[in-house]
Amino acid sequence: MLNLGDEFPNFKAVTTTGPIQFHDWIGESWAILFSHPSDFTPVCTTELGRVANLISEFEKRGVKIIALSCDSVDSHKKWIQDIKSYAKHSGDGFPYPIIADENRDLAVQLGMLDPVEKDKDGLPLTCRAVFVIGPDKKLRLSMLYPATTGRNFDEILRAVDSLQLTEKKKLATPADWKSGGECMVLPTLKDEEANELFPKGFYVINLPSGKPYLRVTPQP
């Protein structure tokens, strides 16, 4: 299993838009790789359609999208027509590539197999993994969902907003934070440093312990 901060494998793959070398494909962008159990399945179709309709939101954040499913490129290309129809996604082509992982080589390498859910041949399905990779090619966030549970891509966008903000600012984002909301000053910062870094100031939430660790500041 990959740990946060590990360099993401620089794998070669065949996709619906041609062969790629992963790090070259990422370039200087952020990237999200998300996996799917199988083509022509209900939850996967809704997920890929949702991401296709959100592609402009990912592009605004400088994030490249790539999907993976354990079927062939030919199967993917036929499935794309169903995805576009379901999502009412117009236009030529498809806004992101889909990796063909027929032999499950990448699924094994990246620890994405679901031991509970199996296909008609009894082989483990790929779970619904999400990997967010930074421009430095390091893993910044990972999520694993079982094959039966679809993902919330608004949450993934929210997490990307937090990752990109906190990479540049000495802040943390609280529960249910959304871009533009109040942030938390890192506990490693002294008040003097916080005042210098956050000219809009911060306030402290009083707690029974008397410890002033909940320091809140507007998003810079």
Side-chain angles (χ1 to χ4, degrees), residues 141-158:
L141 179 148
S142 65
M143 303 178 186
L144 291 176
Y145 289 65
T148 50
T149 301
R151 286 158 285 198
N152 183 327
F153 288 94
D154 290 324
E155 164 60 14
I156 293 169
L157 281 168
R158 189 194 76 88

Side-chain angles (χ1 to χ4, degrees), residues 62-78:
V63 179
K64 299 175 81 169
I65 297 290
I66 192 166
L68 177 150
S69 182
C70 293
D71 290 289
S72 68
V73 166
D74 286 344
S75 175
H76 291 348
K77 288 181 176 179
K78 293 172 184 175

Side-chain angles (χ1 to χ4, degrees), residues 150-210:
R151 286 158 285 198
N152 183 327
F153 288 94
D154 290 324
E155 164 60 14
I156 293 169
L157 281 168
R158 189 194 76 88
V160 168
D161 286 340
S162 174
L163 289 168
Q164 293 183 341
L165 173 67
T166 58
E167 180 182 44
K168 297 176 181 177
K169 305 292 183 180
K170 293 185 177 181
L171 294 169
T173 55
D176 300 328
W177 173 89
K178 291 181 181 178
S179 183
E182 292 185 321
C183 302
M184 317 303 290
V185 177
L186 291 180
T188 52
L189 282 181
K190 295 179 180 179
D191 286 351
E192 296 78 14
E193 294 175 283
N195 282 320
E196 289 180 10
L197 290 171
F198 309 119
K200 293 180 182 178
F202 63 87
Y203 65 90
V204 179
I205 296 176
N206 294 320
L207 299 168
S209 67

Side-chain angles (χ1 to χ4, degrees), residues 31-103:
I32 291 177
L33 166 62
F34 66 117
S35 65
H36 301 267
S38 185
D39 295 1
F40 303 103
T41 51
V43 177
C44 299
T45 300
T46 66
E47 290 189 319
L48 271 79
R50 176 65 173 149
V51 173
N53 288 338
L54 284 172
I55 200 68
S56 63
E57 291 297 321
F58 288 106
E59 288 174 346
K60 280 195 302 188
R61 293 161 171 83
V63 179
K64 299 175 81 169
I65 297 290
I66 192 166
L68 177 150
S69 182
C70 293
D71 290 289
S72 68
V73 166
D74 286 344
S75 175
H76 291 348
K77 288 181 176 179
K78 293 172 184 175
W79 182 32
I80 280 171
Q81 303 311 310
D82 285 1
I83 296 166
K84 291 176 67 176
S85 175
Y86 165 80
K88 297 179 173 56
H89 185 81
S90 59
D92 296 331
F94 197 63
Y96 56 88
I98 306 174
I99 294 169
D101 191 29
E102 291 180 88
N103 296 324

Side-chain angles (χ1 to χ4, degrees), residues 89-127:
H89 185 81
S90 59
D92 296 331
F94 197 63
Y96 56 88
I98 306 174
I99 294 169
D101 191 29
E102 291 180 88
N103 296 324
R104 292 168 166 75
D105 293 336
L106 274 176
V108 171
Q109 181 182 2
L110 300 176
M112 298 189 300
L113 291 180
D114 186 334
V116 176
E117 300 294 331
K118 295 182 170 57
D119 66 12
K120 58 183 175 58
D121 298 317
L123 294 172
L125 293 173
T126 306
C127 67

